[in-house]
Amino acid sequence: MASAGSQGGPRQARALVLARRAKLWLVPSILCGLVAVVLSLLYMGGILNPTGHLHRLPIALVNEDQGPPPSGRSENLGTRLSREVVAQTPGGTVDWRQVGQTEAMDQVSSGKVYGALLIPPGFTADVAALTTGRATERPTLTVLTNPGLGSLGSSLASQITQSAAHQASLTIGKELTAATPPASRPGTGTGATATARLLLADPIAVTTRVGHPIGTHSGLGLSAFYYTLLAVLTGFVGGNIIHNGVDTALGYSDSEIGPWHTRRPTVPITRTQTLLLKMVMTAGIMLLTTTLVMICSVTVLGMDAPHQGLLWVFAYCASLAVGLGVQAINAALGGIGQLVSMFVFIALALPSSGATIPLQAVPGFYRFLGLFEPMRQLSDGIRAILFFDARADAGLARAWTMIAIAVVLALAFGFAMTRYYDRKGLHRWTPQPE
């Protein structure tokens, strides 16, 4: 049988022969290497040392102790303990917000603080009772957690608060032991004096309870992050599918599925009209994807969602904003646009979202990204809807504002670039070969 070459057809290249060409390796190797380096630094750099990067983590500090100060002191022990808690915390790591109990509970319920430390009424009198030798238990401070802000952030705040309270207890215990009259100090070896010795050395107990409960089907506070991720991914992936599908349907790119290859006749259309078509389709298809995400998450899997109507509207607008951004970037940058939009909406957005690790526990670069990267804004909004009664001051108002800004920027940038290309005659018309 004659070979393809002898029949006049093109000679078929061999893979191993082509693989010896250095230029063939150059560009893919550089790009893949850069992506690997950037993604490694981005993702691992933000999670390895959250305690070492702590910067003003907000925690409420409530002093309800209104009792008179002990003899010879100018302030009561509640005030003294508050100062010790703040002093025991390394400078700049925690933003202790010294407020009343009502304000503290409001800040917990709106997601403004990751936890709270409550000093109870009568704290000074309860501690003073320890010096008499008649007390059998220690006064108790209460640490409130806020799981709606994520299990890691709430746990981190709880650990910081408990550690600061324990150190303050030891400091006050040394002073109490030194100031206790000899007659009331342990010396007889009886059970009462042994108990007094232990109580005076560490006079304060700490208990922990949930300050703002969330549902049992909320992923320990992570459902807001994953629902945000779904909204972003449906917008990002859906936008790229629409982009490629429209280009194929209009004859500007080939369709190849397995061994089957087709190319449709080219439809004469300007870049601006092509972008408009893609954006209209994005707005329509996001209605479907948002509905399906909610059905699967809430109806099928039973995710806790107290404001389902508002959640649907917000998730739709979030996906739409991302989808429009993808179309604008692709229209402006062409083939490399999909890689750029991946970095804008996924690679840079995930580590700066603050949804898994608080932004106060990541390096400053990520806190800077969190000012404008979409996932941080969207996760705050969805978290407010799911966990904080859809309060505007829980992050929902800012999220709506950022969505509106993102949509305006996507429309302005996309149509500005395509109109410029059209005016310059940089059309996409590629005639269908005979």
Side-chain angles (χ1 to χ4, degrees), residues 240-415:
N240 281 307
I241 291 175
I242 293 168
H243 168 78
N244 294 327
V246 169
D247 282 353
T248 300
L250 298 182
Y252 290 95
S253 64
D254 296 350
S255 173
E256 188 172 359
I257 302 177
W260 295 281
H261 172 270
T262 59
R263 177 163 185 155
R264 296 177 180 274
T266 302
V267 177
I269 186 172
T270 64
R271 290 178 180 269
T272 300
Q273 289 298 309
T274 302
L275 176 60
L276 178 60
L277 173 61
K278 292 176 179 178
M279 286 187 168
V280 169
M281 292 183 63
T282 299
I285 292 176
M286 292 302 107
L287 294 171
L288 172 65
T289 59
T290 302
T291 301
L292 293 176
V293 167
M294 174 164 281
I295 290 175
C296 293
S297 301
V298 179
T299 305
V300 177
L301 299 178
M303 183 187 80
D304 293 319
H307 301 276
Q308 294 182 17
L310 179 59
L311 178 63
W312 185 93
V313 173
F314 184 88
Y316 170 73
C317 293
S319 294
L320 177 61
V322 173
L324 295 180
V326 167
Q327 303 299 0
I329 293 173
N330 288 343
L333 302 182
I336 200 174
Q338 296 187 22
L339 179 62
V340 173
S341 61
M342 185 273 289
F343 271 93
V344 171
F345 295 110
I346 306 296
L348 294 174
L350 280 173
S352 63
S353 67
T356 52
I357 298 178
L359 284 178
Q360 295 85 357
V362 296
F365 171 69
Y366 298 91
R367 292 194 290 271
F368 168 72
L369 290 178
L371 295 176
F372 55 86
E373 272 294 332
M375 194 166 291
R376 184 272 173 101
Q377 332 303 329
L378 301 181
S379 64
D380 283 354
I382 289 181
R383 178 186 285 161
I385 295 172
L386 292 181
F387 302 141
F388 300 116
D389 199 29
R391 290 179 52 164
D393 60 346
L396 186 56
R398 173 185 168 85
W400 278 121
T401 301
M402 297 304 287
I403 285 177
I405 292 174
V407 170
V408 171
L409 288 178
L411 295 174
F413 175 68
F415 286 113

Side-chain angles (χ1 to χ4, degrees), residues 17-283:
V17 174
L18 294 176
R20 298 191 186 102
R21 298 181 181 179
K23 290 184 179 180
L24 190 65
W25 291 77
L26 183 61
V27 174
S29 297
I30 292 175
L31 291 179
C32 290
L34 286 175
V35 169
V37 169
V38 172
L39 291 181
S40 298
L41 295 177
L42 279 174
Y43 286 103
M44 302 308 294
I47 67 168
L48 295 181
N49 188 17
T51 56
H53 292 116
L54 269 180
H55 179 72
R56 299 185 61 80
L57 186 74
I59 302 175
L61 178 58
V62 179
N63 178 20
E64 292 286 287
D65 183 19
Q66 302 298 323
S71 177
R73 296 282 184 178
S74 60
E75 58 187 10
N76 63 27
L77 290 180
T79 303
R80 174 66 191 283
L81 179 65
S82 298
R83 288 198 297 106
E84 286 293 331
V85 166
V86 175
Q88 294 292 340
T89 306
T93 58
V94 176
D95 177 19
W96 290 106
R97 300 183 179 181
Q98 301 190 46
V99 295
Q101 184 167 0
T102 301
E103 175 64 18
M105 296 306 299
D106 182 72
Q107 292 197 18
V108 170
S109 299
S110 60
K112 293 185 174 67
V113 294
Y114 282 84
L117 176 62
L118 308 182
I119 303 173
F123 178 73
T124 298
D126 292 340
V127 173
L130 299 177
T131 64
T132 65
R134 294 191 299 270
T136 58
E137 61 182 10
R138 298 179 292 173
T140 300
L141 305 181
T142 301
V143 172
L144 300 181
T145 62
N146 198 356
L149 291 177
S151 55
L152 179 60
S154 180
S155 175
L156 188 60
S158 177
Q159 293 174 18
I160 292 171
T161 306
Q162 292 185 58
S163 176
H166 179 64
Q167 292 300 320
S169 175
L170 295 178
T171 300
I172 293 176
K174 292 178 182 179
E175 297 181 1
L176 290 175
T177 302
T180 302
S184 62
R185 290 188 180 179
T188 63
T190 63
T193 55
T195 300
R197 184 194 300 274
L198 294 174
L199 294 178
L200 284 176
D202 186 8
I204 303 170
V206 180
T207 186
T208 302
R209 63 181 176 88
V210 177
H212 184 73
I214 58 177
T216 56
H217 288 75
S218 59
L220 299 177
L222 290 176
S223 59
F225 165 70
Y226 283 102
Y227 205 88
T228 303
L229 185 60
L230 286 171
V232 172
L233 286 177
T234 52
F236 172 77
V237 176
N240 281 307
I241 291 175
I242 293 168
H243 168 78
N244 294 327
V246 169
D247 282 353
T248 300
L250 298 182
Y252 290 95
S253 64
D254 296 350
S255 173
E256 188 172 359
I257 302 177
W260 295 281
H261 172 270
T262 59
R263 177 163 185 155
R264 296 177 180 274
T266 302
V267 177
I269 186 172
T270 64
R271 290 178 180 269
T272 300
Q273 289 298 309
T274 302
L275 176 60
L276 178 60
L277 173 61
K278 292 176 179 178
M279 286 187 168
V280 169
M281 292 183 63
T282 299

